[in-house]
């Protein structure tokens, strides 16, 4: 088969075209609205291989726990449907512990500790609100501090007999200044026996938050890990067990099948073997190409910006100049309407810019993005 027919076959068998979907190029990053990430081949192969087989699910969960432990340094781990599910189940674990009747009764929290402390600047939404994700258990969110500042005494004095846990969010979406650090939150909470849950859905670092003292850390399986749609709970053996037991209650509708568990195990193993340097270098090539294409434009200015939460990832910030007839919003929309459509990281267009993220591109797509940019800007 020649390279040309090979290419023709891939184009023909693009399932998106078969289904009538637009074949979008994702220059927005790891966004669940666009299908999160490119699954790693190891995860796809594991899912296909286990799909037709019967397994003892308890044993598969045990193997997943071991895979999470070795990737994160946690005592134990548990796989669920999504990071949002993982937050709900982790919070539920702190309400009920391993008491089965309490688990079966949620969201009725009669007699249970049910207050969950969250810094107000961490009350994010990721397509749904963190507050609702927590409240689904029957817990009540108690905000700490103000939108723009949280102080240690505000957390310390908010802890009561009813406090079940604190939830700490690591994300570009939180307020990025004057919040309590994870070290501070762990110190204050642990002094009063309150466990700390970290939502690290979209973070590369699988070890740092546990090493910092968090009792449970939750991740998305389908973001940087390149696994199937799933959530990972990692942490203390007792709390992970209590989170897993929620599958007898509110977790039932959040359960994952054998294929997702096998896929996450494979993705975690692949993460350990991934050549992060080589990926960084490839991302850098895309950024350089885009910078070079934009350089002659009188409409836009480009500069590299590091990831706000310290993930090893740079993005290209495209600022539309006030003198331009474009606005950031209109340019983002024009790119999304192009053929093929280019989806940019566009949630701050009201500030006059959008970002181009190189972390989810197939070979050849960086060039297509460059081409669409040049076409829109008439370069
Ligand atoms: C994406 C995200 C979530 C939700 O993750 P899902 O796995 O899609 O449920 C939760 N918290 C943060 C900070 C996120 O970025």
């Amino acid at each position: 088969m020649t390279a040309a027919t090979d290419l023709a076959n891939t184009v023909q068998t693009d399932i998106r075209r078969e289904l009538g979907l637009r074949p979008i190029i994702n220059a927005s990053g790891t966004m669940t609205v666009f299908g999160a990430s490119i699954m790693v081949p190891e995860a796809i192969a594991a899912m296909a291989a286990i799909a037709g087989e019967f397994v003892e699910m308890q044993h598969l969960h045990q193997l997943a726990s071991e895979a999470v432990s070795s990737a994160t340094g946690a005592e134990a781990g548990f796989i669920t449907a999504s990071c949002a599910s993982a937050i709900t189940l982790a919070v539920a674990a702190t309400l009920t512990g391993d008491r089965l009747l309490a688990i079966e009764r949620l969201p009725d929290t009669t007699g249970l500790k049910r207050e969950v402390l969250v810094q107000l600047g961490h009350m994010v939404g990721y397509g749904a609100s963190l507050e609702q994700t927590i409240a689904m258990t029957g817990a009540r969110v108690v905000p700490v501090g103000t939108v723009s500042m949280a102080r240690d005494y505000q957390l310390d004095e908010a802890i009561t007999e009813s406090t079940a846990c604190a939830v700490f969010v690591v994300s570009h979406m939180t307020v990025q200044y004057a919040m309590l650090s994870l070290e501070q939150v762990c110190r204050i909470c642990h002094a009063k026996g309150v466990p700390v849950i970290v939502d690290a859905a979209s973070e590369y670092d699988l070890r740092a938050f546990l090493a910092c003292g968090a009792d449970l850390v939750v991740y998305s399986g389908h973001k940087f890990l390149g696994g199937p749609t799933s959530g990972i709970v990692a942490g203390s053996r007792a709390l992970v067990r209590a989170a897993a037991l929620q599958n007898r209650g509110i977790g039932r509708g959040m359960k994952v099948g054998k294929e997702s568990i096998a896929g996450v195990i494979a993705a975690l193993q692949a993460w350990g073997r991934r050549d992060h340097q080589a990926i960084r270098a490839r991302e850098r090539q895309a950024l350089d190409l885009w910078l070079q294409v934009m350089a002659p434009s009188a409409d836009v200015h480009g500069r590299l910006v590091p990831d706000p939460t310290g993930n090893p990832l740079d993005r290209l910030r495209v600022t539309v100049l006030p003198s331009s007839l474009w606005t950031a919003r209109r340019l983002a929309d024009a790119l999304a309407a192009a053929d093929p459509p280019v989806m940019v990281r566009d949630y701050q267009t009201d500030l006059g810019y959008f970002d181009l993220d190189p972390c989810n591109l197939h070979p050849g797509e960086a060039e297509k993005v460059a081409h669409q940019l040049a076409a829109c800007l008439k370069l």
Side-chain angles (χ1 to χ4, degrees), residues 60-199:
L60 184 58
H61 272 296
Q62 181 53 37
L63 296 176
S65 176
E66 287 163 20
V68 172
S69 293
S70 75
T72 63
E75 285 175 11
F78 176 65
I79 311 302
T80 181
S82 64
C83 188
S85 309
I87 295 166
T88 302
L89 300 185
V91 168
T94 67
L95 267 52
T96 63
D98 61 3
R99 283 170 292 170
L100 295 179
L101 186 57
I103 288 169
E104 288 172 3
R105 283 181 176 162
L106 288 187
D108 178 347
T109 55
T110 308
L112 303 178
K113 294 181 177 186
R114 64 182 291 261
E115 291 176 2
V116 177
L117 301 167
V118 185
Q119 296 183 71
L120 199 49
H122 284 199
M123 293 271 244
V124 297
Y126 26 78
S129 81
L130 177 75
E131 181 167 10
Q132 185 186 35
T133 301
I134 293 169
M136 280 172 63
T137 60
R140 187 172 73 83
V141 170
V142 176
V144 172
T146 62
V147 163
S148 52
M149 185 182 288
R151 306 290 298 271
D152 48 7
Y153 69 86
Q154 292 171 327
L155 175 62
D156 190 33
E157 293 180 33
I159 295 174
T160 70
E161 285 295 297
S162 292
T163 305
C165 63
V167 173
F168 186 98
V169 181
V170 184
S171 169
H172 64 88
M173 295 181 286
T174 63
V175 173
Q176 299 289 317
Y177 55 87
M179 294 290 118
L180 297 172
S181 68
L182 180 56
E183 287 86 346
Q184 285 173 296
V185 171
C186 286
R187 184 166 39 72
I188 294 166
C189 287
H190 289 167
K192 293 187 172 171
V194 172
V196 176
I197 298 167
V198 174
D199 171 8

Side-chain angles (χ1 to χ4, degrees), residues 150-351:
R151 306 290 298 271
D152 48 7
Y153 69 86
Q154 292 171 327
L155 175 62
D156 190 33
E157 293 180 33
I159 295 174
T160 70
E161 285 295 297
S162 292
T163 305
C165 63
V167 173
F168 186 98
V169 181
V170 184
S171 169
H172 64 88
M173 295 181 286
T174 63
V175 173
Q176 299 289 317
Y177 55 87
M179 294 290 118
L180 297 172
S181 68
L182 180 56
E183 287 86 346
Q184 285 173 296
V185 171
C186 286
R187 184 166 39 72
I188 294 166
C189 287
H190 289 167
K192 293 187 172 171
V194 172
V196 176
I197 298 167
V198 174
D199 171 8
S202 203
E203 301 309 297
Y204 279 61
D205 198 325
L206 298 180
R207 292 183 173 265
F209 311 110
L210 284 167
C212 194
D215 299 273
L216 288 175
V217 181
V218 297
Y219 293 93
S220 283
H222 48 279
K223 291 185 176 171
F224 293 116
L225 277 171
T229 301
S230 56
I232 298 170
V233 181
S236 85
R237 190 174 302 285
L239 282 173
V240 167
R241 179 159 183 272
L245 284 171
Q246 306 297 325
N247 266 19
R248 302 170 69 128
I250 60 169
R252 175 66 189 211
M254 306 175 192
K255 79 171 176 186
V256 276
K258 59 193 176 187
E259 66 289 347
S260 294
I261 301 174
V264 172
I265 293 173
L268 284 169
Q269 289 167 348
W271 182 254
R273 291 190 300 267
R274 197 181 286 198
D275 185 347
H276 292 274
Q277 294 288 6
I279 289 174
R280 198 94 207 266
R282 205 174 63 218
E283 291 173 358
R284 183 64 207 223
Q285 276 175 9
L287 294 168
D288 285 343
L289 172 68
W290 299 335
L291 262 174
Q292 195 189 329
V293 163
M294 286 169 37
S297 170
D299 291 297
V300 294
H301 170 75
R303 85 182 156 91
L304 297 186
V305 289
D307 179 75
T309 61
N311 288 315
L313 171 72
D314 291 330
R315 301 186 176 89
L316 178 62
R317 178 145 300 170
V318 180
T319 301
V320 176
L321 301 173
S323 55
S324 173
L325 293 178
W326 288 102
T327 61
R329 183 69 259 158
R330 290 221 310 276
L331 186 53
D333 289 346
L335 288 163
D339 181 21
V342 174
M343 316 313 271
V344 304
R345 196 172 180 85
D346 67 347
Y347 55 87
Q348 290 179 336
T349 50
D350 54 335
L351 296 175

